[in-house]
Amino acid sequence: MNPAWITGAAALRERLLSPAQAAPDAPAGALPPYLESFLAHLRLLVGVPFEYLVPDSRLLPEESIRFFYVDRSFTDRLVDGALAVGKVGTREQAHHQAQEPSLRATLDRTERVVRILQRGAAPFAQARQQAAGDAAPAQVTTGFLLRSAAVASWPDMEVRALAREGSGGAVTWQPLTTLRLERLQTSVLVALFDGVPDRVTCEEPHHGVTFGIDRSGANAFRLAVRGPDGSAVTGAPPVAVPFRAGGRGVVAIAELRRRLHAQNVADPARVIAQTGPGAFAVSVLDPPWRQRFEGTGGHPVAPPGGSTRPLTVAARAADPAVRAAVEEVVG
Amino acid sequence: MAEPTPPPAQGQMRVYDRMELPLLPGAHRLQTQVAVAYDGGTATLQGERYFTVDGPRFTLSPDEVAAVLPPRNGSGAFSELLPQVVLHRRTLPWERSLGAPASSGAAPAPGAPPALAGDAPWLTLLTLVDGEHTLLESIPLEQIVPADVLARLGQPAGVVCDAVEVSSDVLAGVLPSREELALLAHVRRVNVLDRASAGSDPDGWFAVVMSNRLPPPGARCHCYLVSVEQRTDLVAAAPPPAVEGVSPGRPVKPLDAVALEGLQSMSRARGFDVSATFPPARRRLVVLHHWGFDAIASGGTFRERMQALDVGLFGDLPADGGPAATDTGHVALDLHDRAGAVESVWYRGPLCAQPLTRDTLGPYHSADQARRVSPETGAEDVTYAAAFEAGRLIAAADGRLAQDLARWRRGAYDDSARGGTLAAVEAALPLSPALAATLPQAVATTIAVGALARFAAAAPDADASGLQAVAAAPGLDPQAVAAAWRLGSAADATAILNGAAPGAALPAAAVAPPPPASAVETLARLSAARAALAPPVASGAAPLSPSLSSSGRTAAVPRRRKR
């Protein structure tokens, strides 16, 4: 009889040690992806009713922009509240207590990719990979609320936050990560940034940039001459805009192009060549308006280490017993 | 489609002349022909398929429109900008054509800009003021375009769409010429990273169609995105002559209407009616999209709106008073407490004017834990308790979240129980250090391998059945064999075991299973020995004795009685 090519014991050992079987699977107690994503969104106040953000409408009047810091304690309480669902006994409490430090660190990372998720740019697992490398705890989160008809009319306005680096002549502007940019209502826009910006810009959406001309007289309009990159050519005389006869304000487009071409012939190095509709568009488009917000003033920031204001008991404590008790506590 | 270039940097935009589809909308015929050569002859295989490429033609879904400028129903100083419509589909203006080239084909005159390539696009944007236009909704195409245009469009049947009706002289005044049609449409590529509208158009490509008319100030204006496909009856080859410094249009009554009114009043005075004999020539165009806005003297543009904003930090109150608030941003609110009494409490949202330190006392397990009393006022601060409740309610409204939460907790309890079990196993089971390291990952495997190693290492008592050891071992404990098989004495067992010395150890690596035949032989030998040595037990408890077995079978046959 031929000897067996493999013995039973060797086969069993092989099977039990096969990588597919012995590979460590994810621990059962890991944070489920949906839960993690939900809590990260909650950290950025996604889904929090507007009344909780702005308890009184007079805090955000019409046609106003209000800058703010996000209260981290508030967002931590939101997460605590969410985890209180189904928390019926001490076992759940012990579980939450034990998981809290790692959960907080995880969400500090995951909240940076919420915008990727909101844009639908990447699935959760992939987005989370991006966040995994950056283990730094969450910084100060800032932002603004903008309530204006401009939000309704230009819903795609481009928002950027920049931080100043360096001083004197060597100032550079570093863009901050935008954590959230979303319209809460038709005319209310909320933006959250990772860090404290020194300058925030709101720019007209580029796809909505329009043809713009300057009024040079009661009935006359003119157009600045532009270079190939769209910047205005300094020193070049503006082109008078021709109109069709008939008084309807119809611009004679072909004639305007002929005049722009003449400008190019006169100064081919600096003025854009009229090669086609694209070049024509560049020479007649108004550059997008970029509104800067910088050094808004406002309240002085409390010095680090907390306020040194002495505590006083106000006379507004209505109940004399409460007042006496508080006075006793405060001394 | 391969991207030829990366998207522009944030804050930049690229502009393109035109973007054409490789396959234009319409009916197409695909012909295939394969020449086959084989031994002894050739053959040609032919096939023909028809297919249609579809695209917007007489109607346009509102989803295709990315933006309109001036804003729909907006009110502002729009009299210095040309209205425009932004389309998501970047090839749309060039998918069909006017039916005529943009440039005449003749060499450009000296001093004229270079000629434009390709056909004129089929879309243009008309800006009309009130009184110049009539919108006709859902009318048959036959009532919109003349018969010859309908023929050139391919006689589409049963098409119902919207149309705008304009008098012929107004239309001649505002409709772009062929070259202007081409100049008024282009493609833009922008960077979409800084925008709020998430996911609406991730690629950043847009087609833009501009109008050629400045909205007159003080007028209600209407913009129509119209189709001029095959409308060479309306679109002029060359634009009308240009003049300098013409005032942009004011809201004027269309000339023909004025003329008609004058004629009618004159004719009525003389006793006859000319309205039937003086029909103003009206032209109709297919409308794909339209919107209205008010052009006013000043204000309302993006720049003016942004510059007029009231800028401040959150918590700044308007000059004319505001809610009762503290400098820390807390607002006094009325709260119904548990007893139903109204209480004045402090609340501050998550947004505040100063940076705050993070509370390190967490986690909190109930909202009451987060309630605070402000020592300065004696009133309660419900900020964090409210936050806790808000989070709880948002989460409770989400069914999937509750499931995930339960799963997460259950998983953690399981993990914990498993950890305890592993510690116990490790304490009880002497494992080699290499195996002990893999224990948390694969419990069953590790324990099995450990047992296997022990089994291989020696102890015959690891073989529960005893068969393997009996067959393979050169020697066994004769006492055990005698007890197991009810032999008379250990000596008999020793004899059966071929006189091998008891207690001879197995070699460490010898775990090869015995061939089945030898086990059967051993059994048979043991049975035979037992039958020879011990008298059979009276009951039927000795299944291995052949004689008993057969007699039992005989006895088991029931005897039939006669009645």
Side-chain angles (χ1 to χ4, degrees):
Chain A
M1 199 171 83
N2 289 335
W5 62 275
I6 188 167
T7 62
L12 180 62
R13 178 193 285 258
E14 198 83 353
R15 196 173 92 73
L16 292 178
L17 284 178
S18 80
Q21 181 160 324
D25 48 351
L31 202 55
Y34 180 77
L35 180 62
E36 184 176 345
S37 161
F38 184 95
L39 295 178
H41 279 73
L42 203 54
R43 276 284 196 92
L44 298 183
L45 307 169
V46 176
V48 177
F50 191 66
E51 295 73 37
Y52 280 81
L53 305 182
V54 184
D56 192 299
S57 65
R58 286 168 289 186
L59 291 171
L60 186 65
E62 279 177 23
E63 296 301 326
S64 72
I65 184 167
R66 291 283 181 266
F67 291 86
F68 55 76
Y69 294 88
V70 174
D71 183 359
R72 283 273 167 198
S73 309
F74 193 101
T75 54
D76 284 348
R77 292 300 81 74
L78 284 171
V79 171
D80 284 350
L83 294 181
V85 171
K87 195 187 267 185
V88 290
T90 50
R91 189 162 74 147
E92 286 84 3
Q93 283 193 8
H95 170 245
H96 185 194
Q97 194 84 33
Q99 298 280 338
E100 210 270 340
S102 76
L103 179 69
R104 178 190 284 219
T106 307
L107 293 182
D108 279 359
R109 288 199 301 272
T110 313
E111 68 179 22
R112 292 177 198 142
V113 298
V114 164
R115 183 156 160 75
I116 298 176
L117 301 176
Q118 284 195 316
R119 297 178 62 83
F124 180 75
Q126 195 185 330
R128 203 173 171 284
Q129 286 292 319
Q130 294 186 19
D134 186 4
Q139 297 188 54
V140 178
T141 302
T142 59
F144 68 77
L145 275 173
L146 170 61
R147 180 178 176 192
S148 165
V151 177
S153 301
W154 287 270
D156 294 331
M157 73 167 77
E158 305 190 357
V159 174
R160 270 186 290 280
L162 304 158
R164 190 190 286 113
E165 275 186 12
S167 59
V171 170
T172 55
W173 292 94
Q174 293 299 321
L176 296 180
T177 309
T178 302
L179 296 175
R180 186 179 172 203
L181 186 61
E182 196 177 344
R183 281 206 295 165
L184 296 179
Q185 294 166 9
T186 319
S187 62
V188 177
L189 182 77
V190 66
L192 295 179
F193 307 115
D194 192 14
V196 184
D198 294 303
R199 174 191 289 173
V200 172
T201 64
C202 295
E203 193 167 339
E204 222 174 318
H206 283 191
H207 69 254
V209 175
T210 51
F211 176 105
I213 55 178
D214 293 331
R215 190 181 286 270
S216 57
N219 295 330
F221 290 85
R222 65 187 179 189
L223 185 64
V225 177
R226 299 196 177 275
D229 59 351
S231 58
V233 175
T234 51
V239 175
V241 176
F243 287 91
R244 285 188 184 181
R248 291 198 176 83
V250 179
V251 177
I253 299 290
E255 171 63 14
L256 180 60
R257 179 170 182 246
R258 205 188 57 72
R259 293 184 184 186
L260 291 168
H261 177 69
Q263 289 281 338
N264 170 248
V265 170
D267 191 355
R270 292 199 299 160
V271 179
I272 185 166
Q274 289 300 318
T275 51
F280 179 75
V282 170
S283 44
V284 301
L285 288 181
D286 211 7
W289 179 254
R290 185 178 291 177
Q291 180 67 46
R292 281 184 194 171
F293 298 98
E294 226 172 309
T296 52
H299 305 309
V301 173
S307 167
T308 53
R309 208 154 35 119
L311 293 173
T312 52
V313 176
R316 265 193 279 177
D319 188 349
V322 169
R323 194 172 155 190
V326 172
E327 270 172 344
E328 196 182 315
V329 169
V330 176
Chain B
M1 198 175 102
E3 290 288 345
T5 47
Q10 275 167 290
Q12 290 186 7
M13 163 172 89
R14 277 197 212 107
V15 184
Y16 299 83
D17 282 348
R18 57 196 286 151
M19 204 100 355
E20 285 175 7
L21 272 185
L23 201 57
L24 292 175
H28 296 261
R29 185 174 64 180
L30 177 73
Q31 267 186 318
T32 55
Q33 194 168 345
V34 181
V36 184
Y38 56 95
D39 288 344
T42 59
T44 306
L45 307 177
Q46 282 184 322
E48 214 173 47
R49 291 284 168 88
Y50 290 88
F51 63 94
T52 306
V53 178
D54 215 356
R57 192 170 192 190
F58 302 111
T59 53
L60 184 70
S61 158
D63 304 346
E64 294 277 351
V65 177
V68 293
L69 262 296
R72 187 183 303 275
N73 295 326
S75 173
F78 304 128
S79 57
E80 289 176 25
L81 57 84
L82 292 180
Q84 67 180 25
V85 60
V86 185
L87 305 166
H88 280 302
R89 192 167 160 135
R90 65 184 117 151
T91 55
L92 190 61
W94 301 277
E95 283 177 12
R96 303 171 190 280
S97 91
L98 171 69
S103 291
S104 61
L116 300 171
D119 274 3
W122 69 292
L123 292 177
T124 194
L125 191 65
L126 297 182
T127 306
L128 300 168
V129 298
D130 267 1
E132 288 179 343
H133 58 92
T134 313
L135 178 67
L136 307 166
E137 287 183 331
S138 302
I139 60 168
L141 184 64
E142 292 77 16
Q143 296 179 19
I144 302 173
V145 299
D148 57 331
V149 174
L150 195 65
R152 287 203 294 274
L153 291 175
Q155 298 284 8
V159 176
V160 173
C161 55
D162 296 347
V164 61
E165 192 177 73
V166 189
S167 76
S168 57
D169 66 327
V170 170
L171 192 63
V174 299
L175 196 65
S177 69
R178 286 185 204 170
E179 186 189 358
E180 289 174 340
L181 278 180
L183 286 173
L184 289 170
H186 62 268
V187 174
R188 296 180 190 177
R189 189 168 192 203
V190 304
N191 190 303
V192 293
L193 281 179
D194 293 329
R195 307 223 195 135
S197 63
S200 63
D201 193 307
D203 66 353
W205 285 98
F206 298 98
V208 179
V209 179
M210 301 191 294
S211 172
N212 59 352
R213 186 177 185 185
L214 298 175
R220 171 77 186 174
C221 296
H222 222 82
C223 281
Y224 291 96
L225 180 67
V226 297
S227 157
V228 291
E229 187 183 5
Q230 301 297 343
R231 295 310 294 267
T232 42
D233 57 326
L234 298 178
V235 176
V243 290
E244 293 298 328
V246 171
S247 65
R250 293 197 183 78
V252 287
K253 274 190 170 178
L255 275 179
D256 46 4
V258 174
L260 179 63
E261 216 168 84
L263 267 179
Q264 281 174 334
S265 62
M266 273 164 54
S267 59
R268 269 194 295 276
R270 291 174 191 181
F272 65 99
D273 187 7
V274 297
S275 61
T277 58
F278 187 75
R282 306 289 281 182
R283 301 277 184 255
R284 289 174 177 177
L285 286 156
V286 173
V287 170
L288 298 167
H289 194 79
H290 64 98
W291 77 97
F293 58 91
D294 286 303
I296 54 175
S298 66
T301 62
F302 183 80
R303 175 179 174 164
E304 282 160 319
R305 289 219 182 267
M306 293 309 277
Q307 292 207 311
L309 285 180
D310 167 16
V311 182
L313 284 178
F314 198 81
D316 287 356
L317 295 173
D320 56 346
T326 64
D327 57 350
T328 52
H330 288 80
V331 180
L333 295 177
D334 283 344
L335 179 89
H336 291 267
D337 67 6
R338 280 168 200 175
V342 178
E343 186 187 353
S344 187
V345 296
W346 295 112
Y347 174 80
R348 175 178 64 190
L351 322 175
C352 46
Q354 293 105 351
L356 297 170
T357 50
R358 204 167 172 174
D359 186 351
T360 52
L361 297 175
Y364 288 67
H365 299 292
S366 75
D368 282 349
Q369 241 182 320
R371 289 167 74 181
R372 298 285 182 269
V373 170
S374 144
E376 288 163 302
T377 59
E380 198 181 331
D381 177 1
V382 297
T383 302
Y384 298 124
F388 187 96
E389 283 303 312
R392 198 172 66 83
L393 292 173
I394 296 167
D398 191 318
R400 182 166 169 203
L401 184 88
Q403 283 181 3
D404 263 14
L405 206 51
R407 205 178 73 204
W408 181 44
R409 290 195 184 118
R410 205 169 49 237
Y413 305 150
D414 288 351
D415 274 356
S416 164
R418 197 175 127 101
T421 309
L422 288 184
V425 166
E426 242 177 316
L429 192 70
L431 287 171
S432 70
L435 279 176
T438 65
L439 187 64
Q441 278 85 42
V443 184
T445 312
T446 309
I447 293 177
V449 170
L452 207 61
R454 283 188 75 185
F455 179 74
D461 58 351
D463 183 11
S465 70
L467 279 182
Q468 193 174 354
V470 166
L476 273 178
D477 184 1
Q479 299 286 352
V481 174
W485 298 95
R486 299 185 193 169
L487 300 182
S489 69
D492 294 329
T494 312
I496 292 165
L497 292 169
N498 298 328
L506 281 167
V511 284
S518 68
V520 173
E521 278 167 19
T522 309
L523 273 180
R525 219 163 58 220
L526 283 167
S527 304
R530 186 162 175 270
L533 289 172
V537 188
S539 74
L544 288 172
S545 160
S547 58
L548 255 184
S549 205
S550 62
S551 66
R553 205 179 296 131
T554 315
V557 176
R559 201 171 281 173
R560 198 176 276 236
R561 279 187 193 175
K562 285 184 181 173
R563 294 191 179 182

